[in-house]
């Protein structure tokens, strides 16, 4: 599984960076970004939950 954050949509609510800090991090612009190329299998469920919880629907999931 891969994931990314649509920077144009992110409103910096930090749900993703709090829920899955090993996958999402706030960048210098105050927007979330992905810090792994491939989501580790044990974090896939948390990534799906973060995507569902993101109020801006800014989290994309592939695969
Ligand atoms: Fe941004 Fe959504 Fe994360 S608004 S900080 S991508 S939970």
């Amino acid at each position: 599984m891969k994931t990314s954050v649509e920077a144009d949509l992110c409103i910096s609510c930090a749900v993703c960076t709090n829920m899955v800090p090993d996958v999402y991090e706030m960048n210098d612009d105050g927007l979330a970004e992905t810090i792994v190329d491939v989501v580790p299998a044990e974090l896939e469920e948390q990534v799906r939950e973060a995507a569902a919880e993101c109020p801006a629907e800014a989290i994309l999931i592939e695969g």
Side-chain angles (χ1 to χ4, degrees):
M1 173 202 277
K2 291 192 169 194
T3 181
S4 59
V5 175
E6 190 69 61
D8 290 347
L9 297 179
C10 176
I11 55 170
S12 312
C13 79
V15 166
C16 59
T17 52
N18 286 330
M19 285 180 76
V20 210
D22 290 336
V23 172
Y24 303 104
E25 198 172 79
M26 283 298 180
N27 64 23
D28 292 341
D29 294 327
L31 302 173
E33 64 183 20
T34 309
I35 53 172
V36 294
D37 277 343
V38 177
V39 176
E42 67 273 19
L43 295 179
E44 287 187 356
E45 190 55 38
Q46 285 170 256
V47 164
R48 285 195 187 91
E49 285 173 18
E53 295 288 327
C54 171
E57 298 186 1
I59 297 176
L60 308 178
I61 291 176
E62 279 176 58

